[in-house]
Amino acid sequence: MDGQGDLYDVDSDVPDLTGTVLLHNFEGFMDAGSAGRLVAEHLLDTLEHRVVARFDADRLIDYRARRPTMTYLTDHWESYAAPELAVHLVHDSEGMPFLLLTGPEPDREWERFTAAVGELIERWGVRLAVGFHGIPMGVPHTRPLEVTAHATRPDLVRDYRQVFSRIQVPASIANLLEFREGEAGRDAMGFAAHVPHYLSHSSYPAAALSLLDSIERATGLTLPAEPLREAKRKADVEIERQIAESDEVSEGVRALEHQYDSFAEAAGRNMLADPADMPTADELGSQFERFLAEQDGDR
């Protein structure tokens, strides 16, 4: 078989998608506040969709590193939750089609996988690929939440302030995909929502909303937001309640606010402090961390 087609199966009944966009989010890499996962789940929960391509999980996923779950009922195995790495054909609120690639990040054959995605991008005439996730930052939740944007062309991210200069980070399949798409001369970009590091292990809908807004502006899609807004309102109330009940947590947040505002004033605009200069998550108190863990368990 030519190319990387043995890595995936494609639905034979796919309409003309020339000029559409491909969104992608993979489980397993950094996703502070579960921001990227919340967006992906939200889109599939609220919009019409169907699977148009599936990748071979048996070849790409290390089952012993991330064991799938099985359900046992009385005297037999009732079900098995097989991992699925798939491309969904989704329609936005105005009926505009777009593609969403979701599932566990491949553990092996990264180059073949990114080449396979590139083949599908060419096959369907995709004009732009967009990844999204959350990263932990030393910022307070009471200040504007920023998004770092990167792309294969500077014009794609000219409206975003660049926080970082030159850094080295562990690779991810999403970033490699963007890199390889750039090498192939195709447009690709990614968004990383800045999540307060003391909230990074909890679901943080505010970050997901920021990602959703960035995706809309970059792609022109019309995406529903109200369920995420309602989740944000509930999360904000719980966070403020916990802070009000703990002097230790309140002092930690005020320290972050002071440092944030000092940097912003010095720069003449909102500016993020170096996380190394900010209080650590531990300094916000174990009480707050226990609260956040309890919230995750209730979801």
Side-chain angles (χ1 to χ4, degrees):
M1 184 176 295
D2 294 336
Q4 313 301 324
D6 59 334
L7 271 185
Y8 56 83
D9 292 318
V10 181
D11 192 325
S12 59
D13 183 24
V14 178
D16 181 11
L17 297 173
T18 303
T20 193
V21 298
L22 169 71
L23 309 182
H24 58 84
N25 175 258
F26 303 98
E27 303 165 13
F29 183 58
M30 178 187 299
D31 188 22
S34 299
R37 177 182 62 79
L38 287 173
V39 170
E41 291 179 351
H42 166 72
L43 294 176
L44 294 178
D45 285 344
T46 58
L47 295 172
E48 174 190 349
H49 64 92
R50 65 183 175 92
V51 173
V52 292
R54 281 188 173 88
F55 287 88
D56 187 348
D58 273 354
R59 288 182 55 177
L60 298 170
I61 306 302
D62 182 348
Y63 288 72
R64 294 204 301 174
R66 291 180 287 176
R67 293 180 183 270
T69 58
M70 298 180 67
T71 300
Y72 182 82
L73 179 61
T74 308
D75 59 359
H76 67 282
W77 294 107
E78 181 184 46
S79 63
Y80 168 58
E84 183 178 69
L85 186 55
V87 181
H88 305 259
L89 174 59
V90 192
H91 289 80
D92 75 359
S93 299
E94 302 296 327
M96 182 69 66
F98 66 95
L99 298 163
L100 175 61
L101 170 57
T102 62
E105 181 183 49
D107 295 299
R108 52 177 67 94
E109 300 196 41
W110 279 20
E111 292 293 359
R112 296 202 66 206
F113 176 75
T114 54
V117 176
E119 286 180 0
L120 292 176
I121 285 173
E122 285 196 342
R123 174 178 183 153
W124 289 325
V126 171
R127 64 177 173 85
L128 176 66
V130 182
F132 49 92
H133 67 125
I135 58 174
M137 296 289 286
V139 294
H141 70 282
T142 53
R143 297 298 183 263
L145 192 155
E146 296 197 35
V147 173
T148 288
H150 41 81
T152 55
R153 287 192 298 111
D155 285 353
L156 294 173
V157 293
R158 61 172 175 245
D159 294 332
Y160 288 83
R161 184 173 69 85
Q162 297 306 312
V163 176
F164 306 104
S165 53
R166 184 185 184 92
I167 58 173
Q168 286 189 321
V169 299
S172 71
I173 199 71
N175 292 340
L176 179 60
L177 176 59
E178 180 181 321
F179 181 67
R180 293 298 184 222
E181 286 300 287
E183 289 184 326
R186 293 188 287 259
D187 285 349
M189 61 192 307
F191 295 113
H194 298 176
V195 177
H197 54 52
Y198 53 91
L199 297 172
S200 61
H201 297 296
S202 177
S203 293
Y204 191 49
L209 276 170
S210 293
L211 290 176
L212 194 72
D213 177 68
S214 294
I215 292 168
E216 277 195 311
R217 287 190 284 131
T219 64
L221 295 171
T222 302
L223 304 173
E226 188 51 41
L228 282 179
R229 289 196 186 102
E230 179 59 26
K232 175 184 179 302
R233 284 192 285 268
K234 292 180 179 179
D236 288 347
V237 169
E238 291 299 325
I239 292 169
E240 293 305 325
R241 179 182 66 81
Q242 181 65 15
I243 289 173
E245 293 176 354
S246 170
D247 292 339
E248 183 180 10
V249 171
S250 297
E251 290 175 6
V253 172
R254 282 197 295 271
L256 282 170
E257 291 173 338
H258 175 73
Q259 294 223 32
Y260 183 101
D261 293 343
S262 295
F263 273 74
E265 183 179 357
R269 56 178 298 179
N270 284 341
M271 184 173 180
L272 294 172
D274 184 337
D277 296 333
M278 302 296 260
T280 67
D282 288 342
E283 291 172 329
L284 292 177
S286 59
Q287 181 183 358
F288 199 22
E289 291 182 339
R290 286 196 302 272
F291 162 74
L292 296 172
E294 290 169 1
Q295 296 309 301
D296 273 348
D298 292 340
R299 288 186 175 89

